[in-house]
Amino acid sequence: MTVATTQSDDIPIGELVIMTIAMPRDTNRYGDMFGGWLVSQMDLGGAILAHQCSHSRMTTVAIDKMVFIRPVYVGDVVSCYASIVKRGNTSVGINVQVWVERMEDHFKLKVTEGLFTYVAIDKQGKPTPIKWKT
Ligand SMILES: CC(C)(COP(=O)(O)OP(=O)(O)OC[C@H]1O[C@@H](n2cnc3c(N)ncnc32)[C@H](O)[C@@H]1OP(=O)(O)O)[C@@H](O)C(=O)NCCC(=O)NCCS
């Protein structure tokens, strides 16, 4: 799917890791989307990239710098973009951005961004070094 224009000069940064639609089941009693639903999508999306670069079992150790910039509405097409911002010994820091596209609009809006840190763990759940590819 191509996007004709963006509302500003900003464009999504990172790999597209999740694309879904905001559904009524993920709203609160007022019909607003739960922030927790969005965070879970971001965590899943970041984990996809974390696994791709480590080929290890990964667990989320921290979520930082979460900012909810704009609301998400039912029917929005929600896209998560992930990019590596820090390569550690056993951990990886991944910036996850969420952009939405609305039925009536022809541009994407950034709605949320956060820094997700994942740690590679062994079978005992202990941190284990990531074998980075160059
Ligand atoms: C993740 C976990 C295995 C880390 O164990 P630990 O003994 O604290 O690990 P360490 O102190 O050796 O740190 C391991 C790495 O995590 C990083 N880390 C630890 N806490 C962090 C934090 N709060 N923020 C960012 N990075 C952190 C360390 O910097 C280190 O990275 P590096 O090896 O690249 O330098 C352990 O904390 C855990 O099991 N947590 C629960 C995870 C979980 O269940 N997540 C899902 C929640 S539903």
Side-chain angles (χ1 to χ4, degrees):
M1 183 179 68
T2 54
V3 179
T5 61
T6 54
Q7 194 183 42
S8 71
D9 289 336
D10 287 341
I11 55 167
I13 294 173
E15 288 182 37
L16 178 62
V17 284
I18 296 256
M19 199 172 187
T20 186
I21 296 177
M23 300 294 280
R25 63 171 177 257
D26 301 309
T27 59
N28 63 21
R29 63 196 296 191
Y30 305 106
D32 302 321
M33 295 304 295
F34 280 121
W37 175 77
L38 213 48
V39 174
S40 73
Q41 300 302 312
M42 297 168 81
D43 193 17
L44 287 170
I48 289 171
L49 184 60
H51 186 263
Q52 279 175 354
C53 62
S54 71
H55 296 287
S56 302
R57 177 176 165 187
M58 303 295 278
T59 190
T60 312
V61 71
I63 301 175
D64 295 296
K65 299 181 184 168
M66 274 295 305
V67 188
F68 293 98
I69 306 162
R70 298 183 178 89
V72 176
Y73 300 121
V74 169
D76 284 353
V77 178
V78 175
S79 302
C80 297
Y81 294 84
S83 54
I84 296 175
V85 292
K86 186 182 170 201
R87 291 171 185 245
N89 178 34
T90 66
S91 69
V92 56
I94 294 183
N95 174 267
V96 183
Q97 299 186 345
V98 181
W99 291 67
V100 299
E101 193 174 2
R102 307 219 152 103
M103 288 296 184
E104 65 273 19
D105 298 330
H106 299 289
F107 50 79
K108 285 189 172 184
L109 280 170
K110 184 162 79 172
V111 293
T112 303
E113 190 166 11
L115 174 62
F116 289 68
T117 304
Y118 301 89
V119 176
I121 52 172
D122 61 18
K123 285 181 181 164
Q124 284 70 45
K126 300 293 179 200
T128 185
I130 296 173
K131 294 182 185 71
W132 293 106
K133 294 174 183 169
T134 51

